[in-house]
Every structure is written in C-alpha cells, then in structure tokens.
C-alpha cells in the first residue's frame, strides 16, 4: 500500500494527464465501445477497415497454433498461412487474447478498451514531456496544471483522432511519445540509466512497435537515432551508441519472425510508389494530396509554436542560456527533424501544394521502402515533437498564469480546428442505431447451415472484398468457426491472391460452401454445383442442402455494374449514372471474369460521340486492351461481345468522350452467353 501511494504521489500529474485523455475519449465515443462483447458497432463502420481488424482477430483466434509462428493465421485465407500482423489487429493483444481464448466470451473485441488506453497514454506521456521541457518541478502546482492543459493539445492531435476506430492500431501515437519520454526524460534524469537498462528499455520499445503497427518502427527508430546522436556528442562511448540500436532492431526482428511476418503467403507486395508528405501541411490544413497524406498537426499546435517563438524572442537571454545548456539535445532534435522530413517526403518533394522535384532512386530501395509506402504518416513524429516542444517552451518562457491561459487556449484551438470531425464522431458513437445488428444475412437458414455440420469452409469464387455482402459473409464464417479462402491483408499481393482463388474453383470440396457475390454469379453455370439463394447471395454446394429450395439454372446469367464505383475524370457519378463532359473518361469497377462468351450492353445517351473499349490486367502489370465485336451501335445503346478462354483479372469497361457533346451512361449490363 505504501509503495502504491508513493507511486501515485510521484506520478500524480502524469496520471492527471492520463485522466484528461480518458475523459476526452469517453466524451467522444461513450462507454458502449468498452463492452468487449459488443461488436456490431465495429462491423457497422462505413469503412471496412475496422471489420478487417476485428474479423482478422476472430479468424486468428479460431486458427490452431503452429510453432514457431505464434502469429500465424490459417483460417482467414484457408488453407494458406498469413499473419495477424497483416490484418492490423494489434498483434500483441491478439496473441494475448488467443492465449486466453478458453475463458473469453464467444464474441469478444478489445478495440474499445485499446482506444481508451491510447488516449490515456497520450495524455499522461504528453504531460510528462511538456513538464520536462518546461522545467516544471513536481511541487509547482500551478505550472503542473498548465502542463496538463498543454497535454490537451496532444490528446486532440489530429492523427490520433482521425485514426481511432479507422486504422485503430495506428492510433498508438503514444509510442512516439514514449520514445520521446525515454530520450528526453529518462535519459536526461539525474539518475541516468545504465547501458544495460537503456538496451532493455529500447528493446521493449522495439517489441511494442513490432507488436502494434509496423509504421511505428521507423518513427521510434528515428527517435532512437536522435538519442544516439546526443550520446555520441557527449562522448559516452561506442557501446552507448550502438547497443541500444542493436537491442531495438534485434527485439523487433525476433518478434516479427515469431509473428510470422516473413513466412506469410501473399505478403510483401510492393505498390511501386511512395505517398509522401507536403511538410507545409504540418501547419496548413488540407494540403495533403489524399487522406493518407494529410499530416496537419492542428490549429493548437500552430498557435503553440507561434507563442513559443514569441516567448523565445522576448526572453532571448534566458533562451540563449537554455539552448547552450542543452545544445546536444537541440542538435539531436534537429537531426531527428531532418531525418523525419526526408523519410516522410518520400522521393517526391512537395511544398505548399507544389511539386518541387523528384529524386530517382534504385528499384531495390523503392521495393524496400514501399513497405512504408504511406510514408507521409512518418511526419506525425515531427508534428508531435513540435507540439511537445512548443507547449513546453511556452510553459518555460511565459510567466505565471499567462502560460496556463495560453496552453488552455492552444488546447481549445486544437479541438476547435477539428470541430466538424469530432462532432461527426460524437454523433455516430452516441447513436443507439450504431450498435444494432445490421447484417444482411437475416434468413434463419443461415443458422441452420451453421448447425448442420455439413460445412466447415466458406469459399468466395473470386478475390474481391469491395462488396457489402463480403464482410457479412466473412463475419458469419468467423463467428461459426469456419475458415474463409478470402480476406483483406495489409501489404498483400492482390494479384497472387486473385489468381490463386480462381484456381481453387477447379477442385470443389463437399465441406465447402461457395459464395458467388455480385458479378461472380455470371459463372454459376460453369461449375457442377447445387445452387441456392439466401438474402440475395448466390450459394453453391457439391452436395444438396436439406431444407433449402434449389435455384433453377439461368440460361444467360446477367449482372449490372455499379457505376458509383467507377473512376471518373471530367464528369460526375451518382446512383442515376455517370455524366461525362469534354475530355471525360469513365473506367468501371474491376471484375474477375471466368472463361466464356460475354455480351456487354451500355445504355444512356451521346454514344455516337464516344470511344468504348474493354481492358484487363493485373495490378501494376501490363494492361491488355481487348478485341471486342460491336453488334449494336446507337446513340442511346452500345452492345459488344467478346470471348475468353482464360480468366480475366481486373476486367473493366472504359468510356471516353470524344468532343464537347454531353455523354451519359445510365447502365452497363454484362451477360454470360455460355
């Protein structure tokens, strides 16, 4: 009891910061997300990513143990081996949950509690760092309260709020703060840690990064490099510089091996490009070329930086003395910012919305760095370091109550700048409907199928998870302990998966229920299966299914493309169709077509001023324009046919406007003739 009391007393201000973070989380997301048996809110998310994270864990939980790969998952893309790493399911929690699987409820999620933990850690570590930079003593109550207010800037850091329950593992911004704390607080303390302790602590950080999300490895690794630069400047010896790096890298690599990172099928795909950051975007919102490239550090961070600079100018003598005392830390911090800028920009340097130049790099390096192709995320490190440093300097160089008022203003501005996003999240997560079961699979026959024991596997005819039914079917399989042959993985070779899944249809198995989702129904007459339809989903089985009425064969299966999923240039797309203006182009959603004869019918207007063709080809490989035979040519309807003796992967139809005449496409129907 005495030790607990002493601990609470020593860390009371950091714990207060943690309470602030927890309070912000509860205000935004409520308490229902904390119920580990409540999973429907995850599956109801408009983005498929939370469903991937949760269902990846469920499939992994049902998969058997296969040493030495504790993180191997044999159920998500059966019978192939994948890793819990590649579903972004927070591997450390997934492994722990699997070890405790026998005592956990049948439906169990840890994402809600993880979110609360992330916000609490963000607040607690931010307070400790701001107080350290601000030179605050434990007994200085007023300044410690000011440091808690400053922690609000980090609790409301945009990357944390935007990624929470979207890319949930990536919401572990506190890993960066923990690395900064280890460098700026623990290593600078009066009782400087020994070399052995340094290796242990950085090794633990390597384990945490590898076991939570891989993008934190380079971010935390760069903080470690900065710490090593400082140790080198202080001439603390080669061991102090090299051994912590070896510990960090060795621990991370060992864990990745155990988690199956290097032994997973379909992994390691390079998309061949880097999504780099525009560094001006740290202070100017909406400069990111895409959502993945948005690195805005927040209005509160910008104000804190301005106030810190103002304080340094006013207190320039004290500031000069401060920086001279800490010159090695300052030099290391500048090295860190430069490294992070280089890593986050990628090989295309963009500033203030303008591309300045592109640096050609060898393909070998490109393939390696493409593991972190969304490299703009790495700029979160710079944003958090600037926020911590600015809030700390405001605390140090603004006197008395002014510092508290200014940091409160920064925290309020940080929230105000994100008011639309925060309000959207508050509304969604406090809506009772968000927690209801909204699965499309409502027919009681589904549960009869699960209880019959006839099936233990679910197989999709093709690799395509861009369908609403896909996630409902995957959830059904996971909940009932079935395997699935298709699932979405990060860093996944989609080409290999597409080819592999299509080939599996050559060997049909009686214990497998086959799902023909959307366009896959075109191939229903290609396979010797008994066909049934439940809730609009076409299912196939080698053996008849008792209690279900078999669907009669269609002579010419047809399916209409979803035009809203098309890529459109110089035009608009909605539920009513696509309208192309001058120079407009439409490229439909990608389908996988099995061998056969096909007819495509486009309806609309203005087709006599268009150019239409079909194409196919694997991602980032050569695209093949197809030879087609137009059998109907009219301004309001175009019809063409083609044949293929092999599967067509990522097949699309393209429509180009030839002049200024408006071109409208209201429907594109595809029929399989035989």
């Amino acid at each position: 009891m005495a030790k607990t009391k002493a601990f609470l007393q020593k860390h009371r201000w950091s714990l207060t910061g943690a309470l602030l973070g927890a309070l912000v989380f509860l205000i935004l997301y409520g308490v229902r997300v904390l119920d580990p048996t409540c999973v429907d809110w995850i599956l109801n998310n408009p983005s498929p990513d939370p469903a991937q994270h949760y269902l990846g864990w469920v499939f992994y939980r049902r998969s058997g143990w296969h040493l030495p790969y504790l993180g191997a998952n044999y159920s998500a893309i059966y019978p192939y081996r994948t890793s819990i790493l590649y579903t972004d399911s927070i591997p450390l929690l997934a492994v722990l949950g699997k070890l405790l699987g026998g005592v956990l409820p049948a439906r169990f999620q840890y994402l809600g509690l993880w979110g609360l933990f992330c916000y609490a850690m963000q607040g607690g570590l931010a307070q400790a760092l701001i107080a350290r930079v601000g030179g605050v003593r434990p007994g200085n109550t007023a300044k410690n309260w000011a440091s808690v207010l400053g922690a609000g800037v980090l609790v409301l850091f945009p990357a944390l709020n935007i990624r929470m329950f979207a890319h949930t593992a990536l919401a572990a911004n506190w890993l960066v703060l923990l690395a900064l704390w280890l460098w700026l607080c623990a290593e600078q303390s009066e009782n400087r840690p020994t070399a052995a302790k340094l290796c242990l602590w950085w090794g633990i950080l390597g384990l945490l990064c590898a076991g939570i999300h891989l993008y934190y490895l380079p971010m935390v690794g760069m903080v470690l490099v900065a710490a090593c630069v400082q140790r080198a400047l202080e001439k603390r010896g080669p061991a102090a510089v090299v051994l912590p790096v070896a510990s960090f890298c060795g621990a991370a690599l060992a864990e990745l091996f155990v988690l199956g990172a290097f032994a997973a099928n379909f992994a390691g795909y390079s998309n061949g490009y880097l999504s780099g950051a525009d560094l001006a975007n740290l202070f100017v919102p909406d400069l990111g070329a895409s959502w993945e490239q948005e690195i805005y550090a927040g209005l509160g961070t910008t104000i804190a930086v301005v106030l810190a600079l103002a304080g340094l100018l006013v207190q320039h003598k004290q500031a000069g003395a401060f920086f001279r005392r800490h010159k090695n830390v300052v030099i290391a911090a500048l090295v860190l910012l430069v490294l992070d800028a280089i890593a986050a920009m990628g090989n295309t340097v963009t500033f203030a919305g303008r591309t300045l130049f592109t640096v050609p790099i060898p393909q070998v390096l490109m393939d390696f760095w493409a593991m972190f192709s969304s490299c703009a995320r790495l700029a979160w490190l710079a944003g958090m370091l600037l926020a911590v440093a600015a809030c700390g300097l405001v605390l140090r160089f603004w006197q008395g109550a002014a510092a508290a008022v200014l940091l409160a203003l920064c925290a309020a501005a940080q929230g105000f700048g994100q008011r639309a996003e925060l309000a959207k999240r508050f509304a969604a997560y406090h809506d009772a409907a968000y927690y209801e079961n909204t699965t499309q699979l409502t027919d009681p026959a589904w549960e009869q199928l699960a209880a019959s024991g006839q099936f233990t596997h679910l197989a999709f005819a093709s690799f395509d998870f861009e369908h609403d039914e896909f996630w409902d079917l995957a959830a059904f399989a996971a909940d009932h302990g079935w395997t699935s042959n298709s699932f979405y993985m990060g860093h996944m070779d989609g080409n290999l998966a597409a080819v592999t899944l299509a080939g599996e249809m050559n060997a049909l198995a009686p214990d497998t229920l086959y799902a023909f989702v959307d366009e896959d129904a075109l191939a229903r007459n290609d396979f010797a299966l008994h066909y049934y339809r439940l809730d609009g989903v076409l299912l196939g089985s080698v053996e008849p299914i008792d209690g279900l009425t078999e669907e009669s064969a269609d002579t010419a299966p047809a399916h209409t493309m979803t035009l809203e999923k098309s890529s459109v240039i110089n035009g608009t797309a909605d539920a009513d169709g696509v309208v192309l203006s001058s120079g407009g182009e439409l490229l439909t959603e990608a389908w996988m077509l099995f061998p056969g004869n096909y007819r495509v019918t486009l309806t609309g207007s203005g087709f006599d001023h268009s150019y239409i063709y079909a194409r196919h080809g694997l991602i980032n490989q050569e695209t093949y324009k197809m030879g087609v035979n137009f059998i109907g040519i009219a301004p309001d309807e175009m019809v063409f046919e083609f044949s293929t003796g092999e599967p067509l992967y990522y097949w699309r139809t393209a429509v180009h406007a030839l002049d200024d005449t408006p071109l409208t496409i209201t429907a594109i129907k595809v029929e399989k003739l035989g």
Side-chain angles (χ1 to χ4, degrees):
M1 182 64 69
K3 288 185 177 181
T4 301
K5 185 177 181 180
F7 176 85
L8 294 176
Q9 178 67 18
K10 180 180 179 181
H11 300 286
R12 62 191 183 280
W13 294 111
S14 293
L15 291 172
T16 304
L19 287 174
L20 172 65
L23 179 62
V24 169
F25 176 87
L26 293 174
I27 290 173
L28 283 176
Y29 299 102
V31 297
R32 294 192 66 178
V33 296
L34 302 179
D35 181 354
T37 64
C38 180
V39 304
D40 291 313
W41 63 272
I42 301 173
L43 300 175
N44 291 342
N45 195 296
S47 166
D49 290 306
Q52 177 212 13
H53 308 155
Y54 166 69
L55 294 176
W57 137 248
V58 179
F59 278 120
Y60 170 70
R61 178 183 180 180
R62 312 292 188 197
S63 180
W65 295 102
H66 296 271
L67 296 177
Y69 305 119
L70 297 181
N73 187 345
Y74 290 84
S75 296
I77 308 182
Y78 178 85
Y80 301 97
R81 179 172 61 212
T82 61
S83 171
I84 191 63
L85 274 168
Y86 299 122
T87 55
D88 292 339
S89 303
I90 314 172
L92 282 177
L93 294 183
V95 172
L96 178 61
K98 186 171 180 175
L99 289 169
L100 299 174
V103 299
L104 296 179
R107 269 192 155 195
F108 179 84
Q109 62 86 13
Y110 44 74
L111 300 183
L113 290 170
W114 167 256
L116 178 64
F117 177 79
C118 286
Y119 272 77
M121 289 292 289
Q122 190 87 347
L125 289 166
Q127 186 281 328
L129 283 161
I130 291 170
R132 178 69 181 183
V133 176
V136 181
R137 298 294 181 184
N140 192 330
T141 301
K143 283 207 164 187
N144 273 298
W145 275 115
S147 69
V148 172
L149 294 172
V153 175
L154 275 301
V155 168
L156 293 170
F157 193 72
L160 169 61
N161 294 301
I162 293 172
R163 297 291 172 163
M164 182 57 66
F165 303 139
H167 290 163
T168 311
L170 273 173
N173 290 179
W174 59 267
L175 283 170
V176 173
L177 296 183
L178 182 58
L180 291 173
W181 177 88
L182 182 52
W183 171 36
L184 298 176
C185 296
E187 290 201 33
Q188 315 303 323
S189 64
E190 294 178 0
N191 298 319
R192 180 175 285 176
T194 64
K197 278 191 175 181
L198 278 179
C199 291
L200 175 63
W201 290 348
W202 285 106
I204 291 172
L205 260 176
L207 293 175
L208 289 173
C209 293
I212 292 174
H213 200 286
L214 294 180
Y215 270 82
Y216 285 104
L217 281 171
M219 281 189 269
V220 170
M222 284 186 280
V223 177
L224 173 55
V225 169
C228 291
V229 168
Q230 182 194 344
R231 294 186 215 118
L233 292 172
E234 294 172 351
K235 299 180 180 179
R236 292 169 57 185
V241 175
V242 175
L243 292 181
V245 175
S247 177
F248 176 81
C249 296
L253 287 172
E255 183 180 15
L256 291 175
F257 173 82
V258 171
L259 290 175
F262 310 117
N265 299 120
F266 307 110
Y269 180 59
S270 169
N271 57 20
Y273 64 89
L274 301 176
S275 297
D278 184 328
L279 295 182
N281 188 207
L282 282 169
F283 302 106
V284 182
D286 302 322
L287 282 181
S290 67
W291 179 71
E292 277 290 5
Q293 293 167 279
E294 185 68 26
I295 59 167
Y296 186 46
L299 179 60
T301 300
T302 301
I303 293 175
V305 169
V306 173
L307 290 172
L309 292 174
L312 292 175
L313 289 174
V314 172
Q315 304 282 351
H316 60 276
K317 290 184 178 179
Q318 295 91 325
F322 171 77
F323 285 115
R324 283 192 295 272
R325 288 197 309 273
H326 300 92
K327 66 176 182 178
N328 291 334
V329 174
V330 173
I331 292 172
L334 292 175
V335 170
L336 172 57
L337 288 174
V338 171
L339 282 176
D340 190 43
I342 294 171
M345 285 189 297
N347 64 323
T348 299
V349 179
T350 303
F351 191 80
R354 299 182 64 181
T355 298
L356 303 181
F357 55 87
T358 298
V359 180
I361 60 176
Q363 188 61 43
V364 173
L365 180 58
M366 175 67 80
D367 291 341
F368 172 78
W369 195 242
M371 292 188 295
F372 305 100
S373 59
S374 297
C375 57
R377 298 171 180 173
L378 304 182
W380 300 347
L381 164 58
M384 282 185 275
L385 177 59
L386 290 171
V388 164
C391 290
L393 293 174
V394 168
L395 196 56
R396 182 176 285 270
F397 292 107
W398 284 82
Q399 300 303 314
V405 172
L406 292 175
L407 289 177
L409 171 66
C410 291
Q414 191 82 323
F416 180 78
Q418 300 173 77
R419 60 193 181 280
E421 178 66 28
L422 297 179
K424 176 182 175 183
R425 287 172 178 266
F426 178 88
Y429 287 89
H430 288 78
D431 182 358
Y434 203 52
Y435 300 88
E436 296 176 357
N437 184 346
T438 59
T439 179
Q440 299 180 52
L441 310 183
T442 59
D443 194 311
W446 290 104
E447 292 304 318
Q448 297 172 20
L449 284 175
S452 69
Q454 183 175 352
F455 304 106
T456 56
H457 309 293
L458 175 69
F460 294 89
S462 69
F463 176 68
D464 190 347
F465 47 85
E466 299 291 344
H467 306 287
D468 294 337
E469 301 93 337
F470 174 89
W471 295 102
D472 285 336
L473 288 164
F476 171 80
D479 281 343
H480 293 90
W482 292 12
T483 64
S484 171
N485 75 330
S486 180
F487 201 72
Y488 172 63
M489 301 281 172
H491 298 282
M492 185 174 189
D493 189 338
N495 290 339
L496 181 59
V499 173
T500 302
L501 263 64
E504 289 178 356
M505 296 301 295
N506 295 325
L508 305 176
D511 62 349
T512 301
L513 183 67
Y514 294 90
F516 296 81
V517 180
D518 288 349
E519 68 270 15
D520 291 342
L522 292 171
R524 59 154 295 159
N525 294 334
D526 294 359
F527 306 103
L529 294 169
H530 299 272
Y531 289 98
Y532 308 86
R533 196 173 292 273
L534 292 179
D535 294 317
V537 179
L538 182 66
L539 302 173
S541 172
V542 171
E543 303 293 340
I545 302 175
D546 293 338
L548 295 185
T549 302
E550 195 164 343
E551 184 175 274
S552 59
D554 294 325
T555 55
H559 198 75
T560 300
M561 307 194 85
T562 304
L563 294 180
E564 288 178 284
K565 295 182 179 180
S566 302
S567 298
V568 177
I569 299 175
N570 292 338
T572 60
D574 55 32
D576 296 325
V578 176
V579 178
L580 299 180
S581 54
S582 177
E585 300 177 9
L586 172 148
L587 190 62
T588 64
E589 59 181 321
W591 283 7
M592 206 287 287
L593 298 181
F594 287 90
N597 304 316
Y598 292 87
R599 176 183 296 149
V600 180
T601 303
L602 296 89
T603 55
S605 62
F607 287 130
D608 50 338
H609 296 266
S610 71
Y611 171 55
I612 299 170
Y613 66 93
R615 50 177 276 192
H616 69 95
L618 295 172
I619 298 174
N620 288 339
Q621 295 186 20
E622 184 176 356
T623 298
Y624 299 93
K625 183 179 175 182
M626 300 182 62
V628 299
N629 178 33
F630 278 90
I631 62 171
I633 300 177
D636 60 351
E637 183 179 89
M638 299 286 279
V639 184
F640 64 84
E641 294 181 349
F642 63 91
S643 299
T644 176
E646 58 185 11
L648 301 180
Y649 304 103
Y650 303 103
W651 175 88
R652 295 173 169 91
T653 292
V655 181
H656 294 253
L658 291 179
D659 52 37
D660 294 339
T661 303
L663 178 59
T664 301
I665 304 97
T666 56
I668 300 178
K669 184 177 72 171
V670 182
E671 302 170 84
K672 187 168 188 184
L673 306 178

